[in-house]
Amino acid sequence: MRLSFGTNGSGIHGAFLWTLFAAMAGFLAYALATGDWTIGEGFRENQAAEILQLLYLLAGALLFFIAAYGETVPVPRRLFAGLGLFLTTVLSREVEVERTWAEPYFLFIIEGDLHYAVLGVFWLGLIAASLRYIRAGFEAAWGWAKTRPGVFTLLGIALYLFTDATEKEVLIEGKNQSKMIEETIECVATYLFFASAYLNLTAQRLTARPAHTAPIRQGRSKAAAEHLTAP
């Protein structure tokens, strides 16, 4: 079984992720320093910080689904599909359509939890398709969790769980103030999800490249040898 996620995040991919993180950190620092903490400016529903989270989650989910599509081995394919579905579930939890242009069209879906019902069908389908690979699936998930993309995802989940404490005003008093801290932490968490998916896909393509080029090189070497030994 091939698990293709050994990248260390160096080179152009690491530079891209560090640049993206620096830009996000600068934006969050500016928003926290200049925003009105009494009303949670910039961190309320459907404002800049939350939109940034939605973009990270959407991009991360798509990258995991692309990785699943590019896999030929059943267990990694289901693992990456599950990660994409996980980020899609988190995305659906974060989406708010109230007081937006989408409210007349999609509010009934949110209020009726129809999106969770659809996601439940996909989860059940994925679980059913993975039953024959339970042991290998756990081994693959454990192996992936120890890679850099896996660590990033686990850190993102830990930060998401930690934001529950900020929402209950444990770290700072005041509903709007706590909201600003909560959304800031969630921005970092969703960035980690995106970085995990990005590094996972780039590692997959890097490890797959020799497999595609090897037959070509072998064929060329064989042809060269035949040419040299020809009368």
Side-chain angles (χ1 to χ4, degrees), residues 112-156:
D113 290 335
L114 298 180
H115 55 309
Y116 289 128
V118 173
L119 286 169
V121 171
F122 281 104
W123 274 114
L124 290 174
L126 180 61
I127 293 171
S130 305
L131 289 177
R132 59 184 296 190
Y133 305 105
I134 291 179
R135 181 175 180 180
F138 277 113
E139 291 176 354
W142 175 246
W144 185 83
K146 294 184 286 186
T147 64
R148 187 177 297 263
V151 171
F152 279 7
T153 289
L154 292 177
L155 283 175

mmCIF file of all heavy atoms in Angstrom, residues 112-156:
data_model
loop_
_atom_site.group_PDB
_atom_site.id
_atom_site.type_symbol
_atom_site.label_atom_id
_atom_site.label_comp_id
_atom_site.label_asym_id
_atom_site.label_seq_id
_atom_site.Cartn_x
_atom_site.Cartn_y
_atom_site.Cartn_z
ATOM 1 N N GLY A 112 -33.659 23.777 8.152
ATOM 2 C CA GLY A 112 -34.155 22.403 8.143
ATOM 3 C C GLY A 112 -33.070 21.352 8.277
ATOM 4 O O GLY A 112 -33.358 20.148 8.237
ATOM 5 N N ASP A 113 -31.811 21.799 8.405
ATOM 6 C CA ASP A 113 -30.660 20.882 8.521
ATOM 7 C C ASP A 113 -30.581 19.925 7.340
ATOM 8 O O ASP A 113 -30.080 18.789 7.474
ATOM 9 C CB ASP A 113 -30.739 20.080 9.826
ATOM 10 C CG ASP A 113 -30.492 20.964 11.049
ATOM 11 O OD1 ASP A 113 -29.821 22.003 10.904
ATOM 12 O OD2 ASP A 113 -30.972 20.612 12.141
ATOM 13 N N LEU A 114 -31.036 20.379 6.183
ATOM 14 C CA LEU A 114 -30.993 19.515 4.997
ATOM 15 C C LEU A 114 -29.558 19.252 4.554
ATOM 16 O O LEU A 114 -29.255 18.171 4.018
ATOM 17 C CB LEU A 114 -31.784 20.159 3.859
ATOM 18 C CG LEU A 114 -33.284 20.370 4.114
ATOM 19 C CD1 LEU A 114 -33.939 21.023 2.904
ATOM 20 C CD2 LEU A 114 -33.964 19.045 4.435
ATOM 21 N N HIS A 115 -28.680 20.237 4.770
ATOM 22 C CA HIS A 115 -27.286 20.030 4.371
ATOM 23 C C HIS A 115 -26.633 18.935 5.203
ATOM 24 O O HIS A 115 -25.822 18.156 4.687
ATOM 25 C CB HIS A 115 -26.499 21.339 4.484
ATOM 26 C CG HIS A 115 -26.555 21.991 5.821
ATOM 27 N ND1 HIS A 115 -27.738 22.245 6.481
ATOM 28 C CD2 HIS A 115 -25.563 22.453 6.638
ATOM 29 C CE1 HIS A 115 -27.484 22.844 7.634
ATOM 30 N NE2 HIS A 115 -26.179 22.968 7.762
ATOM 31 N N TYR A 116 -27.027 18.839 6.474
ATOM 32 C CA TYR A 116 -26.484 17.762 7.312
ATOM 33 C C TYR A 116 -27.031 16.398 6.870
ATOM 34 O O TYR A 116 -26.325 15.381 6.953
ATOM 35 C CB TYR A 116 -26.826 18.010 8.773
ATOM 36 C CG TYR A 116 -26.060 19.167 9.390
ATOM 37 C CD1 TYR A 116 -26.727 20.196 10.053
ATOM 38 C CD2 TYR A 116 -24.677 19.233 9.300
ATOM 39 C CE1 TYR A 116 -26.023 21.262 10.611
ATOM 40 C CE2 TYR A 116 -23.969 20.279 9.852
ATOM 41 C CZ TYR A 116 -24.653 21.294 10.509
ATOM 42 O OH TYR A 116 -23.955 22.339 11.056
ATOM 43 N N ALA A 117 -28.269 16.386 6.411
ATOM 44 C CA ALA A 117 -28.849 15.131 5.927
ATOM 45 C C ALA A 117 -28.107 14.637 4.683
ATOM 46 O O ALA A 117 -27.803 13.439 4.562
ATOM 47 C CB ALA A 117 -30.330 15.329 5.616
ATOM 48 N N VAL A 118 -27.790 15.570 3.779
ATOM 49 C CA VAL A 118 -27.054 15.196 2.567
ATOM 50 C C VAL A 118 -25.653 14.711 2.931
ATOM 51 O O VAL A 118 -25.176 13.686 2.417
ATOM 52 C CB VAL A 118 -26.981 16.388 1.593
ATOM 53 C CG1 VAL A 118 -26.065 16.067 0.416
ATOM 54 C CG2 VAL A 118 -28.376 16.752 1.094
ATOM 55 N N LEU A 119 -24.994 15.446 3.831
ATOM 56 C CA LEU A 119 -23.667 15.028 4.264
ATOM 57 C C LEU A 119 -23.710 13.664 4.952
ATOM 58 O O LEU A 119 -22.797 12.850 4.797
ATOM 59 C CB LEU A 119 -23.073 16.072 5.207
ATOM 60 C CG LEU A 119 -22.593 17.367 4.558
ATOM 61 C CD1 LEU A 119 -22.275 18.418 5.625
ATOM 62 C CD2 LEU A 119 -21.376 17.114 3.689
ATOM 63 N N GLY A 120 -24.784 13.409 5.703
ATOM 64 C CA GLY A 120 -24.935 12.117 6.363
ATOM 65 C C GLY A 120 -24.994 10.979 5.367
ATOM 66 O O GLY A 120 -24.426 9.897 5.607
ATOM 67 N N VAL A 121 -25.656 11.199 4.244
ATOM 68 C CA VAL A 121 -25.727 10.172 3.201
ATOM 69 C C VAL A 121 -24.330 9.876 2.661
ATOM 70 O O VAL A 121 -23.941 8.708 2.473
ATOM 71 C CB VAL A 121 -26.658 10.623 2.067
ATOM 72 C CG1 VAL A 121 -26.576 9.661 0.878
ATOM 73 C CG2 VAL A 121 -28.103 10.727 2.573
ATOM 74 N N PHE A 122 -23.552 10.934 2.420
ATOM 75 C CA PHE A 122 -22.185 10.736 1.914
ATOM 76 C C PHE A 122 -21.309 10.034 2.956
ATOM 77 O O PHE A 122 -20.498 9.163 2.605
ATOM 78 C CB PHE A 122 -21.567 12.073 1.519
ATOM 79 C CG PHE A 122 -22.026 12.580 0.184
ATOM 80 C CD1 PHE A 122 -22.948 13.599 0.078
ATOM 81 C CD2 PHE A 122 -21.519 12.026 -0.984
ATOM 82 C CE1 PHE A 122 -23.373 14.061 -1.152
ATOM 83 C CE2 PHE A 122 -21.926 12.478 -2.229
ATOM 84 C CZ PHE A 122 -22.860 13.495 -2.308
ATOM 85 N N TRP A 123 -21.465 10.400 4.229
ATOM 86 C CA TRP A 123 -20.691 9.739 5.275
ATOM 87 C C TRP A 123 -21.032 8.258 5.350
ATOM 88 O O TRP A 123 -20.136 7.408 5.475
ATOM 89 C CB TRP A 123 -20.956 10.396 6.630
ATOM 90 C CG TRP A 123 -20.101 11.592 6.923
ATOM 91 C CD1 TRP A 123 -20.497 12.894 7.059
ATOM 92 C CD2 TRP A 123 -18.674 11.602 7.115
ATOM 93 N NE1 TRP A 123 -19.425 13.708 7.331
ATOM 94 C CE2 TRP A 123 -18.294 12.939 7.372
ATOM 95 C CE3 TRP A 123 -17.698 10.607 7.104
ATOM 96 C CZ2 TRP A 123 -16.971 13.302 7.607
ATOM 97 C CZ3 TRP A 123 -16.366 10.973 7.333
ATOM 98 C CH2 TRP A 123 -16.026 12.306 7.580
ATOM 99 N N LEU A 124 -22.316 7.940 5.289
ATOM 100 C CA LEU A 124 -22.725 6.534 5.335
ATOM 101 C C LEU A 124 -22.181 5.769 4.139
ATOM 102 O O LEU A 124 -21.752 4.614 4.264
ATOM 103 C CB LEU A 124 -24.254 6.438 5.390
ATOM 104 C CG LEU A 124 -24.908 6.887 6.698
ATOM 105 C CD1 LEU A 124 -26.432 6.868 6.557
ATOM 106 C CD2 LEU A 124 -24.468 5.981 7.848
ATOM 107 N N GLY A 125 -22.209 6.405 2.973
ATOM 108 C CA GLY A 125 -21.665 5.756 1.785
ATOM 109 C C GLY A 125 -20.176 5.500 1.908
ATOM 110 O O GLY A 125 -19.679 4.425 1.537
ATOM 111 N N LEU A 126 -19.446 6.482 2.451
ATOM 112 C CA LEU A 126 -18.009 6.314 2.624
ATOM 113 C C LEU A 126 -17.705 5.222 3.644
ATOM 114 O O LEU A 126 -16.797 4.398 3.442
ATOM 115 C CB LEU A 126 -17.384 7.638 3.067
ATOM 116 C CG LEU A 126 -15.870 7.624 3.303
ATOM 117 C CD1 LEU A 126 -15.124 7.268 2.022
ATOM 118 C CD2 LEU A 126 -15.398 8.973 3.841
ATOM 119 N N ILE A 127 -18.450 5.204 4.741
ATOM 120 C CA ILE A 127 -18.253 4.172 5.755
ATOM 121 C C ILE A 127 -18.535 2.787 5.196
ATOM 122 O O ILE A 127 -17.782 1.834 5.414
ATOM 123 C CB ILE A 127 -19.143 4.458 6.982
ATOM 124 C CG1 ILE A 127 -18.667 5.724 7.695
ATOM 125 C CG2 ILE A 127 -19.145 3.271 7.948
ATOM 126 C CD1 ILE A 127 -19.608 6.208 8.777
ATOM 127 N N ALA A 128 -19.635 2.670 4.435
ATOM 128 C CA ALA A 128 -19.974 1.385 3.836
ATOM 129 C C ALA A 128 -18.891 0.914 2.868
ATOM 130 O O ALA A 128 -18.557 -0.281 2.819
ATOM 131 C CB ALA A 128 -21.318 1.485 3.121
ATOM 132 N N ALA A 129 -18.333 1.855 2.109
ATOM 133 C CA ALA A 129 -17.291 1.497 1.150
ATOM 134 C C ALA A 129 -15.960 1.188 1.827
ATOM 135 O O ALA A 129 -15.061 0.627 1.189
ATOM 136 C CB ALA A 129 -17.102 2.629 0.144
ATOM 137 N N SER A 130 -15.833 1.552 3.106
ATOM 138 C CA SER A 130 -14.564 1.366 3.813
ATOM 139 C C SER A 130 -14.577 0.174 4.757
ATOM 140 O O SER A 130 -13.540 -0.140 5.365
ATOM 141 C CB SER A 130 -14.229 2.637 4.616
ATOM 142 O OG SER A 130 -14.213 3.781 3.779
ATOM 143 N N LEU A 131 -15.707 -0.497 4.897
ATOM 144 C CA LEU A 131 -15.819 -1.579 5.875
ATOM 145 C C LEU A 131 -14.834 -2.709 5.612
ATOM 146 O O LEU A 131 -14.306 -3.311 6.556
ATOM 147 C CB LEU A 131 -17.254 -2.125 5.889
ATOM 148 C CG LEU A 131 -18.308 -1.201 6.505
ATOM 149 C CD1 LEU A 131 -19.687 -1.830 6.392
ATOM 150 C CD2 LEU A 131 -17.972 -0.900 7.969
ATOM 151 N N ARG A 132 -14.561 -2.994 4.360
ATOM 152 C CA ARG A 132 -13.653 -4.091 4.043
ATOM 153 C C ARG A 132 -12.189 -3.722 4.267
ATOM 154 O O ARG A 132 -11.308 -4.567 4.165
ATOM 155 C CB ARG A 132 -13.847 -4.530 2.597
ATOM 156 C CG ARG A 132 -13.619 -3.432 1.589
ATOM 157 C CD ARG A 132 -13.930 -3.885 0.169
ATOM 158 N NE ARG A 132 -13.038 -4.935 -0.267
ATOM 159 C CZ ARG A 132 -12.971 -5.365 -1.530
ATOM 160 N NH1 ARG A 132 -13.782 -4.839 -2.439
ATOM 161 N NH2 ARG A 132 -12.133 -6.315 -1.859
ATOM 162 N N TYR A 133 -11.940 -2.438 4.555
ATOM 163 C CA TYR A 133 -10.568 -1.976 4.760
ATOM 164 C C TYR A 133 -10.366 -1.416 6.175
ATOM 165 O O TYR A 133 -9.530 -0.540 6.370
ATOM 166 C CB TYR A 133 -10.219 -0.879 3.750
ATOM 167 C CG TYR A 133 -10.429 -1.260 2.315
ATOM 168 C CD1 TYR A 133 -11.515 -0.759 1.595
ATOM 169 C CD2 TYR A 133 -9.539 -2.115 1.651
ATOM 170 C CE1 TYR A 133 -11.708 -1.092 0.274
ATOM 171 C CE2 TYR A 133 -9.732 -2.456 0.324
ATOM 172 C CZ TYR A 133 -10.812 -1.941 -0.352
ATOM 173 O OH TYR A 133 -11.006 -2.279 -1.676
ATOM 174 N N ILE A 134 -11.121 -1.912 7.141
ATOM 175 C CA ILE A 134 -11.105 -1.300 8.479
ATOM 176 C C ILE A 134 -9.695 -1.313 9.078
ATOM 177 O O ILE A 134 -9.177 -0.273 9.503
ATOM 178 C CB ILE A 134 -12.093 -2.030 9.416
ATOM 179 C CG1 ILE A 134 -13.534 -1.760 8.971
ATOM 180 C CG2 ILE A 134 -11.888 -1.556 10.853
ATOM 181 C CD1 ILE A 134 -14.567 -2.452 9.826
ATOM 182 N N ARG A 135 -9.069 -2.459 9.116
ATOM 183 C CA ARG A 135 -7.744 -2.543 9.740
ATOM 184 C C ARG A 135 -6.717 -1.725 8.969
ATOM 185 O O ARG A 135 -5.965 -0.945 9.563
ATOM 186 C CB ARG A 135 -7.303 -4.003 9.821
ATOM 187 C CG ARG A 135 -5.942 -4.167 10.491
ATOM 188 C CD ARG A 135 -5.589 -5.629 10.672
ATOM 189 N NE ARG A 135 -4.285 -5.790 11.301
ATOM 190 C CZ ARG A 135 -3.724 -6.954 11.587
ATOM 191 N NH1 ARG A 135 -4.381 -8.086 11.316
ATOM 192 N NH2 ARG A 135 -2.529 -7.008 12.159
ATOM 193 N N ALA A 136 -6.701 -1.897 7.662
ATOM 194 C CA ALA A 136 -5.759 -1.128 6.844
ATOM 195 C C ALA A 136 -6.059 0.361 6.922
ATOM 196 O O ALA A 136 -5.149 1.193 6.881
ATOM 197 C CB ALA A 136 -5.833 -1.599 5.391
ATOM 198 N N GLY A 137 -7.340 0.691 7.051
ATOM 199 C CA GLY A 137 -7.718 2.095 7.152
ATOM 200 C C GLY A 137 -7.201 2.736 8.426
ATOM 201 O O GLY A 137 -6.696 3.862 8.396
ATOM 202 N N PHE A 138 -7.300 2.029 9.555
ATOM 203 C CA PHE A 138 -6.772 2.556 10.812
ATOM 204 C C PHE A 138 -5.255 2.699 10.741
ATOM 205 O O PHE A 138 -4.686 3.679 11.243
ATOM 206 C CB PHE A 138 -7.169 1.655 11.978
ATOM 207 C CG PHE A 138 -8.553 1.920 12.506
ATOM 208 C CD1 PHE A 138 -9.565 0.979 12.367
ATOM 209 C CD2 PHE A 138 -8.848 3.123 13.132
ATOM 210 C CE1 PHE A 138 -10.842 1.229 12.855
ATOM 211 C CE2 PHE A 138 -10.114 3.387 13.623
ATOM 212 C CZ PHE A 138 -11.121 2.434 13.482
ATOM 213 N N GLU A 139 -4.611 1.733 10.133
ATOM 214 C CA GLU A 139 -3.156 1.809 10.006
ATOM 215 C C GLU A 139 -2.748 2.989 9.122
ATOM 216 O O GLU A 139 -1.785 3.711 9.431
ATOM 217 C CB GLU A 139 -2.621 0.509 9.416
ATOM 218 C CG GLU A 139 -2.748 -0.690 10.356
ATOM 219 C CD GLU A 139 -2.304 -1.983 9.700
ATOM 220 O OE1 GLU A 139 -2.008 -1.955 8.480
ATOM 221 O OE2 GLU A 139 -2.250 -3.015 10.398
ATOM 222 N N ALA A 140 -3.489 3.189 8.030
ATOM 223 C CA ALA A 140 -3.188 4.305 7.148
ATOM 224 C C ALA A 140 -3.433 5.640 7.834
ATOM 225 O O ALA A 140 -2.643 6.581 7.710
ATOM 226 C CB ALA A 140 -4.034 4.207 5.873
ATOM 227 N N ALA A 141 -4.543 5.729 8.574
ATOM 228 C CA ALA A 141 -4.865 6.973 9.278
ATOM 229 C C ALA A 141 -3.814 7.277 10.341
ATOM 230 O O ALA A 141 -3.409 8.442 10.512
ATOM 231 C CB ALA A 141 -6.248 6.866 9.916
ATOM 232 N N TRP A 142 -3.349 6.247 11.049
ATOM 233 C CA TRP A 142 -2.327 6.441 12.068
ATOM 234 C C TRP A 142 -1.011 6.881 11.432
ATOM 235 O O TRP A 142 -0.317 7.779 11.938
ATOM 236 C CB TRP A 142 -2.139 5.156 12.869
ATOM 237 C CG TRP A 142 -1.020 5.213 13.869
ATOM 238 C CD1 TRP A 142 0.140 4.496 13.844
ATOM 239 C CD2 TRP A 142 -0.963 6.022 15.047
ATOM 240 N NE1 TRP A 142 0.929 4.805 14.925
ATOM 241 C CE2 TRP A 142 0.279 5.743 15.685
ATOM 242 C CE3 TRP A 142 -1.823 6.956 15.618
ATOM 243 C CZ2 TRP A 142 0.669 6.368 16.856
ATOM 244 C CZ3 TRP A 142 -1.435 7.584 16.800
ATOM 245 C CH2 TRP A 142 -0.200 7.279 17.410
ATOM 246 N N GLY A 143 -0.672 6.247 10.314
ATOM 247 C CA GLY A 143 0.548 6.641 9.619
ATOM 248 C C GLY A 143 0.466 8.060 9.099
ATOM 249 O O GLY A 143 1.425 8.831 9.185
ATOM 250 N N TRP A 144 -0.694 8.432 8.558
ATOM 251 C CA TRP A 144 -0.874 9.786 8.029
ATOM 252 C C TRP A 144 -0.856 10.817 9.150
ATOM 253 O O TRP A 144 -0.347 11.930 8.972
ATOM 254 C CB TRP A 144 -2.196 9.868 7.258
ATOM 255 C CG TRP A 144 -2.403 11.176 6.581
ATOM 256 C CD1 TRP A 144 -1.915 11.559 5.363
ATOM 257 C CD2 TRP A 144 -3.164 12.286 7.073
ATOM 258 N NE1 TRP A 144 -2.320 12.838 5.068
ATOM 259 C CE2 TRP A 144 -3.089 13.310 6.098
ATOM 260 C CE3 TRP A 144 -3.902 12.508 8.232
ATOM 261 C CZ2 TRP A 144 -3.718 14.535 6.254
ATOM 262 C CZ3 TRP A 144 -4.528 13.733 8.396
ATOM 263 C CH2 TRP A 144 -4.442 14.736 7.414
ATOM 264 N N ALA A 145 -1.390 10.472 10.304
ATOM 265 C CA ALA A 145 -1.439 11.411 11.428
ATOM 266 C C ALA A 145 -0.045 11.818 11.894
ATOM 267 O O ALA A 145 0.128 12.875 12.500
ATOM 268 C CB ALA A 145 -2.221 10.801 12.589
ATOM 269 N N LYS A 146 0.970 10.992 11.606
ATOM 270 C CA LYS A 146 2.333 11.281 12.039
ATOM 271 C C LYS A 146 3.120 12.065 10.998
ATOM 272 O O LYS A 146 4.281 12.415 11.228
ATOM 273 C CB LYS A 146 3.053 9.974 12.386
ATOM 274 C CG LYS A 146 2.464 9.276 13.604
ATOM 275 C CD LYS A 146 3.244 8.035 13.985
ATOM 276 C CE LYS A 146 2.971 6.894 13.021
ATOM 277 N NZ LYS A 146 3.633 5.631 13.467
ATOM 278 N N THR A 147 2.518 12.341 9.850
ATOM 279 C CA THR A 147 3.174 13.160 8.835
ATOM 280 C C THR A 147 2.876 14.630 9.099
ATOM 281 O O THR A 147 2.025 14.979 9.930
ATOM 282 C CB THR A 147 2.677 12.785 7.433
ATOM 283 O OG1 THR A 147 1.283 13.096 7.335
ATOM 284 C CG2 THR A 147 2.885 11.311 7.152
ATOM 285 N N ARG A 148 3.558 15.517 8.370
ATOM 286 C CA ARG A 148 3.319 16.947 8.558
ATOM 287 C C ARG A 148 1.874 17.334 8.238
ATOM 288 O O ARG A 148 1.247 18.057 9.027
ATOM 289 C CB ARG A 148 4.302 17.760 7.710
ATOM 290 C CG ARG A 148 4.260 19.257 7.967
ATOM 291 C CD ARG A 148 5.317 19.961 7.147
ATOM 292 N NE ARG A 148 6.650 19.544 7.522
ATOM 293 C CZ ARG A 148 7.424 20.214 8.363
ATOM 294 N NH1 ARG A 148 6.989 21.311 8.930
ATOM 295 N NH2 ARG A 148 8.631 19.781 8.647
ATOM 296 N N PRO A 149 1.296 16.882 7.115
ATOM 297 C CA PRO A 149 -0.125 17.202 6.883
ATOM 298 C C PRO A 149 -1.034 16.688 7.986
ATOM 299 O O PRO A 149 -1.990 17.363 8.383
ATOM 300 C CB PRO A 149 -0.424 16.516 5.542
ATOM 301 C CG PRO A 149 0.892 16.429 4.866
ATOM 302 C CD PRO A 149 1.886 16.196 5.957
ATOM 303 N N GLY A 150 -0.741 15.484 8.494
ATOM 304 C CA GLY A 150 -1.558 14.936 9.566
ATOM 305 C C GLY A 150 -1.466 15.749 10.841
ATOM 306 O O GLY A 150 -2.474 16.002 11.514
ATOM 307 N N VAL A 151 -0.251 16.163 11.188
ATOM 308 C CA VAL A 151 -0.065 16.984 12.388
ATOM 309 C C VAL A 151 -0.810 18.312 12.242
ATOM 310 O O VAL A 151 -1.434 18.793 13.193
ATOM 311 C CB VAL A 151 1.433 17.220 12.644
ATOM 312 C CG1 VAL A 151 1.648 18.256 13.746
ATOM 313 C CG2 VAL A 151 2.120 15.911 13.031
ATOM 314 N N PHE A 152 -0.757 18.904 11.059
ATOM 315 C CA PHE A 152 -1.474 20.165 10.835
ATOM 316 C C PHE A 152 -2.979 19.988 11.046
ATOM 317 O O PHE A 152 -3.636 20.831 11.659
ATOM 318 C CB PHE A 152 -1.213 20.669 9.420
ATOM 319 C CG PHE A 152 0.091 21.396 9.262
ATOM 320 C CD1 PHE A 152 1.015 21.434 10.296
ATOM 321 C CD2 PHE A 152 0.406 22.038 8.082
ATOM 322 C CE1 PHE A 152 2.225 22.104 10.157
ATOM 323 C CE2 PHE A 152 1.606 22.723 7.931
ATOM 324 C CZ PHE A 152 2.519 22.752 8.965
ATOM 325 N N THR A 153 -3.520 18.891 10.528
ATOM 326 C CA THR A 153 -4.958 18.653 10.703
ATOM 327 C C THR A 153 -5.303 18.445 12.170
ATOM 328 O O THR A 153 -6.295 18.981 12.667
ATOM 329 C CB THR A 153 -5.398 17.438 9.869
ATOM 330 O OG1 THR A 153 -5.361 17.779 8.482
ATOM 331 C CG2 THR A 153 -6.828 17.026 10.217
ATOM 332 N N LEU A 154 -4.498 17.681 12.891
ATOM 333 C CA LEU A 154 -4.761 17.441 14.309
ATOM 334 C C LEU A 154 -4.663 18.735 15.117
ATOM 335 O O LEU A 154 -5.458 18.976 16.029
ATOM 336 C CB LEU A 154 -3.793 16.395 14.849
ATOM 337 C CG LEU A 154 -3.980 14.976 14.304
ATOM 338 C CD1 LEU A 154 -2.908 14.045 14.868
ATOM 339 C CD2 LEU A 154 -5.370 14.441 14.623
ATOM 340 N N LEU A 155 -3.690 19.592 14.768
ATOM 341 C CA LEU A 155 -3.589 20.883 15.444
ATOM 342 C C LEU A 155 -4.816 21.748 15.156
ATOM 343 O O LEU A 155 -5.321 22.443 16.057
ATOM 344 C CB LEU A 155 -2.319 21.608 14.990
ATOM 345 C CG LEU A 155 -0.999 21.121 15.584
ATOM 346 C CD1 LEU A 155 0.175 21.863 14.948
ATOM 347 C CD2 LEU A 155 -0.981 21.313 17.096
ATOM 348 N N GLY A 156 -5.287 21.707 13.912
ATOM 349 C CA GLY A 156 -6.485 22.457 13.567
ATOM 350 C C GLY A 156 -7.697 21.994 14.366
ATOM 351 O O GLY A 156 -8.483 22.814 14.857
#
